[in-house]
């Protein structure tokens, strides 16, 4: 029995030892896995946000940099804008670190997101709309409205849309020179990443909500339990029907709201003043949509000139004065002549580092062409020192973007925007031939551009050509090469790895805007905006190929012209004038 007892004791000891070892292994494995999960998310989050060039991750910025500047008192003030929240979100308790602990974020009791706004400042913001270029148009219109209403503008980021299901976003300040915009217009500009700093776990919840709705369209979608627990209500004024009555909003708007944990509470626009101006909507907007919809910008400015949607209790609680619009992309102006561009868009310049990168790539592509002309690079768009250079930012692959220096020389060139992709779906009733013009017609336009460059700009007559295109056609690539042109291949350069998801498109936009001559696609919004920049910044003409440039069409039009001239001469002899249309 004694021997049995000793054997049992030994067996029990071994079992306890084995149990302890297994427990240690399980705990270690759990810790390692959760740590790896959080580390993986950090990498994924950094990759999605891609704050490459110009701003550090907001969670890494000292608190004083997160505090928005009060433009009137020139002081920074933190206001808890969630007046109805039971969580005080004390800035001194340092409990935010608990959210970053290596635990599954969806099971954590996360604090609601809070916007850091100044109760003494009037703000304006809006929901993004559509793809990248449409989002720029919305920003341009919002700049105009904010200036007219004397409100500080808060920009939503460049956000994923129906063409990009990665659910990423990047700050506009990475590509556009916002300090220069403020300098030129006097408009204070902030970004939501500044006034609404989120913890890593909160960002994870927002991304998860967006991913669950990636392929859904139409009304604002249902919320996950985790997202609903941290989101903040925000009153959103309906513009052009977006937001109501069925909560129908754009794909990009939904992703923005999900990412930043904002729950829109849509309300109809405030009524016009009794003696306010009345506008002919059909003449201005060219549609028969609901006449009660707010869409004419002069009407919006008149209605919201003295707007303050806060109740006395909200004012006493320190809630900020926010005018939040369901979009600005659809706004139309009574005053014609590109008023949004003239008073807002022309002052939105590219960051110098973007220009430096673009010029570097162009020089590399065309430096071996024969008889090229090389000029000193004295473009102020590239050489101006900016705050981003002092921040010494690091790109995703470890390259210092500030190490990209503006080349000492530049090579004059023509930029061709060969828009392909899904442009055929945007022809608005035109035939596909009108949208997907053959490259031969672009070649005709290039020759016109070369003649213009030699006669009007004093450049060599045979400028090299660089092509920015979204085409994936090997046939297109072969024709570009056959013509002796150079295709900008951002996959080869690693542009997305350096600048982030929207980097290739933004660099292309900069190249089109700052080329010596632009040959664009007439059906492309990006080309049209590039043409405005060419004219507004350099007073250069742009060229757009057309079916009218086809040889047969040219001959037909020449014959018609001769016949008309002959008819005019004959009728003029008879003392009559023939009006031909």
């Amino acid at each position: 029995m004694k021997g049995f007892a000793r054997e049992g004791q030994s067996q029990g000891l071994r079992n306890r030892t084995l149990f302890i070892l297994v427990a240690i292994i399980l705990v270690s494995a759990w810790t390692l896995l959760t740590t790896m999960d959080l580390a993986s998310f950090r990498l994924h989050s950094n990759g999605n946000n891609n704050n490459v060039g110009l701003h550090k991750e907001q969670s890494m910025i000292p608190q004083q940099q997160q505090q928005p500047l009060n433009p009137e008192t020139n002081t920074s003030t933190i206001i808890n804008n969630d007046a109805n929240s039971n969580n005080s979100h004390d800035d001194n308790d340092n409990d935010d670190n608990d959210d970053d602990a290596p635990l599954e974020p969806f099971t954590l009791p996360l604090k609601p997101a809070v916007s850091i706004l100044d109760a003494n400042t009037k703000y304006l913001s809006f929901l993004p709309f559509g793809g990248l270029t449409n989002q720029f148009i919305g920003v341009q219109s919002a700049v105009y409205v904010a200036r007219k209403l004397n409100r500080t503008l808060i920009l939503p980021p460049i956000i994923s849309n129906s063409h990009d299901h990665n659910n990423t976003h990047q700050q506009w300040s990475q590509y556009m020179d916002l300090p220069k915009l403020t300098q030129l217009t006097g408009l204070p500009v902030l970004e939501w990443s500044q006034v609404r700093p989120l913890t890593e776990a909160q960002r994870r919840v927002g991304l998860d909500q967006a991913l669950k709705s990636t392929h859904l369209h139409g009304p604002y979608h249902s919320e996950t339990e985790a997202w609903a627990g941290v989101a903040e209500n925000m009153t959103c004024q309906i513009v052009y029907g977006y937001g109501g009555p069925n909560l129908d909003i754009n794909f990009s708007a939904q992703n923005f709201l999900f990412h930043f944990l904002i729950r829109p509470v849509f309300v109809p626009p405030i009524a016009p003043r009794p003696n306010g101006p009345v506008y002919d909507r059909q003449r201005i907007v060219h549609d028969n949509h609901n006449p009660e919809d707010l869409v004419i910008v002069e009407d919006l400015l008149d209605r919201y000139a003295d707007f303050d949607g806060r109740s006395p209790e909200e004012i006493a609680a320190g809630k900020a004065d926010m005018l939040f619009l369901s979009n600005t992309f659809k706004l139309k102006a009574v005053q014609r002549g590109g008023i949004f561009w003239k008073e807002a868009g022309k002052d939105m310049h590219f960051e110098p580092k973007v220009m430096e990168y673009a010029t570097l790539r162009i020089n590399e592509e065309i430096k071996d062409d024969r008889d090229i002309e090389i000029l000193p690079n004295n473009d102020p768009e590239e050489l101006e020192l900016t705050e981003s250079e002092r921040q010494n930012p690091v790109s995703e692959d470890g390259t210092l973007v500030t190490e990209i220096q503006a080349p000492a020389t530049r090579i004059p060139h023509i930029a061709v925007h060969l828009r392909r992709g899904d442009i055929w779906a945007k022809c608005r009733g035109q035939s596909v031939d009108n949208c997907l013009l053959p490259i031969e017609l672009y070649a005709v336009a290039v020759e016109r551009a070369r003649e213009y460059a030699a006669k009007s700009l004093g450049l060599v007559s045979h400028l090299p050509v660089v092509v920015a295109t979204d085409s994936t056609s090997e046939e297109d690539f072969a024709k570009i090469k056959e013509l002796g042109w150079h295709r900008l291949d951002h996959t080869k350069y690693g542009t997305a790895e350096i600048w982030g998801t929207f980097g290739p498109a933004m660099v292309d936009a900069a190249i089109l805007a700052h080329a010596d001559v632009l040959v664009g696609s007439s059906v492309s919004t990006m080309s049209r905006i590039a043409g405005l920049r060419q004219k507004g910044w350099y007073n250069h003409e742009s060229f757009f190929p057309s079916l009218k440039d086809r040889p047969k069409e040219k001959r037909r039009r020449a014959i018609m012209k001769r016949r008309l001239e002959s008819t005019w001469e004959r009728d003029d002899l008879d003392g009559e004038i023939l009006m031909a249309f």
Side-chain angles (χ1 to χ4, degrees):
M1 292 293 293
K2 291 182 179 179
F4 181 79
R6 285 194 298 269
E7 183 179 351
Q9 290 174 356
S10 176
Q11 182 67 29
L13 179 61
R14 285 196 298 271
N15 288 341
R16 285 194 298 272
T17 303
L18 180 60
F19 176 81
I20 292 172
L21 288 174
V22 170
I24 292 173
I25 291 172
L26 288 175
V27 172
S28 300
W30 173 253
T31 303
L32 178 61
L33 286 173
T34 53
T35 303
M36 289 176 63
D37 180 68
L38 187 55
S40 173
F41 169 68
R42 284 198 182 100
L43 290 174
H44 182 66
S45 176
N46 289 340
N48 282 342
N49 286 320
N50 284 309
N51 293 323
V52 179
L54 312 176
H55 289 280
K56 298 178 182 179
E57 187 69 35
Q58 287 299 324
S59 61
M60 301 297 293
I61 298 178
Q63 185 63 43
Q64 62 269 23
Q65 293 185 20
Q66 293 179 354
Q67 300 173 6
L69 188 66
N70 180 338
E72 305 209 357
T73 62
N74 200 32
T75 60
S76 297
T77 307
I78 296 181
I79 301 295
N80 185 343
N81 198 38
D82 191 6
N84 298 321
S85 174
N86 293 325
N87 296 331
S88 63
H89 200 78
D90 190 345
D91 295 311
N92 298 319
D93 61 12
N94 293 322
D95 287 342
D96 286 345
N97 293 330
D98 295 340
D99 293 340
D100 297 328
L103 297 173
E104 176 58 36
F106 303 119
T107 62
L108 288 173
L110 300 179
K111 293 181 178 180
V114 175
S115 300
I116 303 174
L117 299 172
D118 180 8
N120 298 313
T121 299
K122 298 193 300 181
Y123 296 98
L124 181 138
S125 194
F126 59 99
L127 296 180
F129 183 96
L132 177 59
T133 307
N134 287 350
Q135 289 181 49
F136 171 84
I137 293 174
V139 171
Q140 172 183 269
S141 301
V143 169
Y144 176 84
V145 173
R147 289 186 65 186
K148 295 297 183 181
L149 294 179
N150 194 29
R151 287 178 173 267
T152 294
L153 179 63
I154 306 179
L155 287 180
I158 309 171
I159 198 77
S160 294
N161 54 74
S162 57
H163 303 303
D164 172 18
H165 297 308
N166 292 326
N167 267 299
T168 55
H169 70 258
Q170 291 181 274
Q171 300 174 18
W172 279 101
S173 56
Q174 182 163 327
Y175 303 108
M176 309 304 294
D177 194 341
L178 300 186
K180 186 169 186 177
L181 173 63
T182 298
Q183 176 187 353
L184 293 173
T185 64
L187 174 68
V189 180
L190 301 170
E191 296 183 283
W192 275 104
S193 54
Q194 292 174 276
V195 303
R196 194 169 177 77
L198 304 177
T199 66
E200 189 169 280
Q202 288 171 333
R203 287 193 295 272
R204 177 75 176 271
V205 169
L207 178 61
D208 178 69
Q209 171 72 69
L211 289 172
K212 290 182 183 302
S213 305
T214 293
H215 300 287
L216 301 178
H217 297 271
Y220 175 79
H221 301 301
S222 60
E223 305 167 356
T224 64
E225 183 178 351
W227 192 89
V230 293
E232 177 186 11
N233 289 346
M234 188 166 297
T235 301
C236 188
Q237 309 288 325
I238 295 174
V239 176
Y240 199 75
Y242 286 96
N246 300 318
L247 305 185
D248 189 21
I249 58 176
N250 185 259
F251 202 101
S252 303
Q254 291 202 46
N255 280 334
F256 161 66
L257 293 169
F258 291 151
H259 285 196
F260 281 85
L261 312 180
I262 297 173
R263 180 186 297 105
V265 180
F266 293 106
V267 298
I270 61 176
R273 292 185 293 105
N275 299 321
V278 178
Y279 300 99
D280 184 349
R281 179 193 177 96
Q282 181 62 34
R283 182 182 67 82
I284 300 168
V285 186
H286 306 297
D287 69 14
N288 293 310
H289 205 63
N290 183 357
E292 300 302 319
D293 280 348
L294 181 60
V295 64
I296 298 171
V297 70
E298 287 87 353
D299 187 15
L300 184 149
L301 296 176
D302 185 67
R303 296 193 198 192
Y304 289 99
D306 301 315
F307 174 78
D308 188 339
R310 300 174 297 176
S311 66
E313 293 76 17
E314 290 173 328
I315 294 175
K319 187 175 179 64
D321 178 4
M322 169 69 77
L323 174 58
F324 198 77
L325 305 176
S326 66
N327 82 88
T328 53
F329 172 76
K330 290 289 185 178
L331 290 175
K332 305 295 182 182
V334 175
Q335 185 177 351
R336 297 299 185 178
I339 189 65
F340 294 146
W341 165 258
K342 290 180 180 178
E343 296 200 24
K346 69 177 178 58
D347 294 323
M348 298 174 62
H349 293 259
F350 291 98
E351 265 286 344
K353 286 300 172 188
V354 175
M355 292 306 308
E356 292 173 13
Y357 178 83
T359 302
L360 180 66
R361 292 306 184 197
I362 291 171
N363 282 2
E364 288 177 350
E365 286 290 340
I366 62 182
K367 65 183 179 182
D368 295 328
D369 279 20
R370 295 183 178 180
D371 303 322
I372 59 173
E373 183 178 15
I374 300 178
L375 301 174
N377 185 19
N378 56 2
D379 193 333
E381 291 290 326
E382 300 181 34
L383 303 180
E384 182 178 341
L385 184 65
T386 66
E387 178 65 23
S388 63
E389 293 179 287
R390 292 188 283 272
Q391 290 183 358
N392 203 32
V394 180
S395 71
E396 187 178 359
D397 66 351
T399 303
L400 284 176
V401 176
T402 48
E403 290 178 352
I404 301 173
Q405 298 296 325
T409 58
R410 62 177 301 275
I411 303 174
H413 60 279
I414 294 170
V416 172
H417 185 211
L418 186 63
R419 181 71 163 90
R420 290 299 199 243
D422 65 342
I423 193 65
W424 61 269
K426 304 177 181 180
C427 293
R428 298 178 184 273
Q430 303 178 42
S431 69
V432 174
D433 290 340
N434 282 310
C435 289
L436 300 178
L437 296 177
I439 293 181
E440 288 75 14
L441 293 184
Y442 284 87
V444 173
V446 164
E447 292 309 312
R448 292 164 52 205
R450 281 173 168 162
E451 181 180 359
Y452 165 77
K455 292 183 178 179
S456 301
L457 306 181
L459 299 172
V460 295
S461 60
H462 196 77
L463 287 182
V465 177
V466 296
V467 180
T469 181
D470 60 350
S471 176
T472 57
S473 166
E474 292 297 331
E475 181 181 357
D476 284 347
F477 298 162
K479 289 181 179 179
I480 290 171
K481 186 175 182 181
E482 180 182 343
L483 288 166
W485 299 351
H486 303 267
R487 179 171 65 92
L488 299 170
D489 186 354
H490 290 292
T491 301
K492 178 181 70 176
Y493 310 144
T495 302
E497 286 73 21
I498 296 175
W499 289 99
T501 301
F502 301 102
M506 294 299 291
V507 170
D508 280 351
I511 287 171
L512 298 176
H514 293 282
D516 293 272
V517 191
L518 166 69
V519 173
S521 297
S522 60
V523 294
S524 167
T525 309
M526 178 181 281
S527 282
R528 293 199 297 270
I529 290 177
L532 288 172
R533 288 166 171 158
Q534 284 277 343
K535 187 67 175 178
W537 293 347
Y538 296 108
N539 197 29
H540 288 183
E541 299 298 328
S542 298
F543 297 84
F544 296 88
S546 166
L547 289 176
K548 298 176 182 177
D549 296 329
R550 292 182 299 185
K552 289 183 179 179
E553 180 69 14
K554 281 188 172 183
R555 287 196 298 272
R556 187 186 70 81
R557 291 173 63 84
I559 292 172
M560 287 292 297
K561 182 179 180 182
R562 287 196 296 270
R563 288 177 179 174
L564 287 172
E565 289 174 347
S566 175
T567 302
W568 288 336
E569 291 174 0
R570 184 176 63 253
D571 290 339
D572 189 46
L573 292 175
D574 296 335
E576 298 178 1
I577 298 178
L578 176 67
M579 299 298 293
F581 296 95

